[in-house]
């Protein structure tokens, strides 16, 4: 139904807990557009639904601020860009 590539948590500079739901897009080059362009409105809705389901099933994260993000990985498997989608 929906999937998330990476789920991670951190504490921001204000001391608030955050939980990141990350979509990973790999691009060997930008010849056909960057990875962000591959995240459609439909994919954003799927990510939002997956995040909601995850938090509903894992109450220990109910106090975390959910954030949707994308990690763009280049052909060498290095993170080229990390973007908050919200």
């Amino acid at each position: 139904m929906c999937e998330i590539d990476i789920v991670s948590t951190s504490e921001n500079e204000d001391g608030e807990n955050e939980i990141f739901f990350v979509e990973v897009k790999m691009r060997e080059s930008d010849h056909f557009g960057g990875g962000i362009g591959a995240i459609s409105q439909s994919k954003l809705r799927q990510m939002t639904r997956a995040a909601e389901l995850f938090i509903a099933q894992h109450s220990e994260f109910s106090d975390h601020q959910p954030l949707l993000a994308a990690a763009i990985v280049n052909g060498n498997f290095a993170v080229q860009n990390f973007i908050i989608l919200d």
Side-chain angles (χ1 to χ4, degrees), residues 1 7 13 15 19 32 41 52 54 58 62 66-67 69 71 73-75 77 79 84:
M1 182 170 84
V7 177
E13 63 247 10
I19 185 166
F32 294 106
Q41 288 300 316
E52 291 168 347
F54 182 91
H58 297 89
S62 63
L67 298 166
V73 179
N74 66 24
F77 301 102
V79 174
I84 304 297

Side-chain angles (χ1 to χ4, degrees), residues 8-75:
S8 66
T9 62
S10 87
E11 185 178 295
N12 68 21
E13 63 247 10
D14 296 327
E16 298 170 333
N17 294 319
E18 299 173 320
I19 185 166
F20 291 89
F21 297 90
V22 183
E23 174 70 11
V24 177
K25 292 293 182 191
M26 182 176 169
R27 294 289 180 259
E28 299 222 6
S29 76
D30 287 338
H31 183 71
F32 294 106
I36 284 298
I39 301 176
S40 66
Q41 288 300 316
S42 174
K43 181 59 181 176
L44 283 173
R45 283 192 298 276
Q46 289 176 354
M47 290 176 70
T48 300
R49 181 70 178 138
E52 291 168 347
L53 289 170
F54 182 91
I55 290 173
Q57 293 174 0
H58 297 89
S59 60
E60 65 270 26
F61 297 108
S62 63
D63 68 332
H64 287 59
Q65 170 67 36
L67 298 166
L68 301 182
I72 310 306
V73 179
N74 66 24

